[in-house]
Amino acid sequence: MKKAEILWQTALSTQKQADFSGICKPEDNLLLNGVFLWVETTGAGHAFVSVHMNNTVYLYTYGRYGRTGSSTTVGDGILNFFEGDDARSYYHYELYEMAARVFKINDSNSVLVREFFEDLWKAAKPPVPTKSMTERVKSRGRTIDVYDVTGNNCTTHSVAGIKYSGSKIFETKYILPSIPLPVGSLPSSQSFVDSEIDFTIPFSLQRYLVEKSSDFSSMLVVDMTSEFRRQYYNVANKTPPAQGSSTKIMGLGARGAASSGSPSPYSGGTFGGSLGVLYNEK
């Protein structure tokens, strides 16, 4: 090989390396930092929050991971705090087995989100073990309150953490119902009340976030599902399992409840639910 050709090949190789290093710069990583709200709607659905700080993951997921009452609508409210391999494993499970969608909340403060969930977690006690409880929940779960599907559940806790961080994505103006006027009276202008939207059902929350993410004027909510799937590749080739009849019925019930809701900003989450008082912790 001629000397000029060797020099040319060396220069080309150096250029390729420079281009590659430019692509992989930390600031180009879309998941390097941020607050992410996850929602999946398989069956009754689920919602949880994760925080990325310099590519370190802090994941908070609340739910019925332990004891329940005579019905599964109430039980020990367990908050899991996952990091490292536990967090990555949970990501893969939600992305590829539960078909979760992930939304970055751009006006949410990462430090305050961590403060909200970790203060709850640190102040609580380890869960009472059950036969079905995983080792991960036994070691990283804490019983923080009583779970109530009607208003103290995974969705209400996730939304509360986002609100605590200072995010404005759930703020809205509520139109007061019109009062019938006497015949002949002049119509009055509609009254608006500043309020915050509460969510109890994951399906309703996901629908709201999808609508918010389509508003490119504010970019407060951005759908990052594709980026998570790109960076957390489906190495194990996981697929969603076939849904049984009970799972399908729960899903239809959740969608029906979401579509039949009133335009009021109030929900079961506003009042903390109605069934928790029936749960007797042994």
Side-chain angles (χ1 to χ4, degrees), residues 170-176 191-197 263 265:
F170 297 114
E171 293 187 357
T172 186
K173 288 186 179 297
Y174 173 55
I175 303 175
L176 290 175
S191 298
F192 294 85
V193 175
D194 290 328
S195 184
E196 291 186 341
I197 302 175

Side-chain angles (χ1 to χ4, degrees), residues 28-39 48-53 55-59 84 87-96 99-106 222-235:
D28 293 332
N29 181 358
L30 299 178
L31 306 184
L32 183 67
N33 293 292
V35 174
F36 302 93
L37 182 49
W38 296 64
V39 190
F48 67 96
V49 174
S50 66
V51 175
H52 289 197
M53 299 179 75
N55 225 27
T56 299
V57 179
Y58 306 90
L59 189 156
R88 286 187 286 272
S89 175
Y90 199 78
Y91 273 3
H92 280 92
Y93 167 74
E94 285 291 338
L95 285 169
Y96 299 109
R101 296 183 70 168
V102 198
F103 301 88
K104 185 176 184 181
I105 312 302
N106 280 323
V222 181
D223 191 332
M224 301 296 288
T225 309
S226 296
E227 185 62 23
F228 268 92
R229 284 176 169 264
R230 187 182 73 82
Q231 293 198 29
Y232 292 86
Y233 183 69
N234 190 9
V235 178

Side-chain angles (χ1 to χ4, degrees), residues 30 49 74 138 147 150 189 222 234 248 274:
L30 299 178
V49 174
V74 294
K138 290 178 183 177
Y147 179 97
T150 65
S189 60
V222 181
N234 190 9
K248 291 179 180 178
S274 58

Side-chain angles (χ1 to χ4, degrees), residues 153-171:
N153 56 36
C154 60
T155 303
T156 62
H157 280 73
S158 298
V159 170
I162 298 298
K163 288 181 177 180
Y164 179 88
S165 74
S167 173
K168 306 298 184 185
I169 66 166
F170 297 114
E171 293 187 357

Side-chain angles (χ1 to χ4, degrees), residues 13-28:
S13 177
T14 302
Q15 181 62 43
K16 286 182 177 179
Q17 292 176 7
D19 290 343
F20 181 79
S21 64
I23 292 173
C24 297
K25 289 186 296 184
E27 57 266 29
D28 293 332

Side-chain angles (χ1 to χ4, degrees), residues 3-15:
K3 184 177 180 180
E5 187 175 351
I6 293 174
L7 291 173
W8 181 81
Q9 292 284 1
T10 302
L12 183 62
S13 177
T14 302
Q15 181 62 43

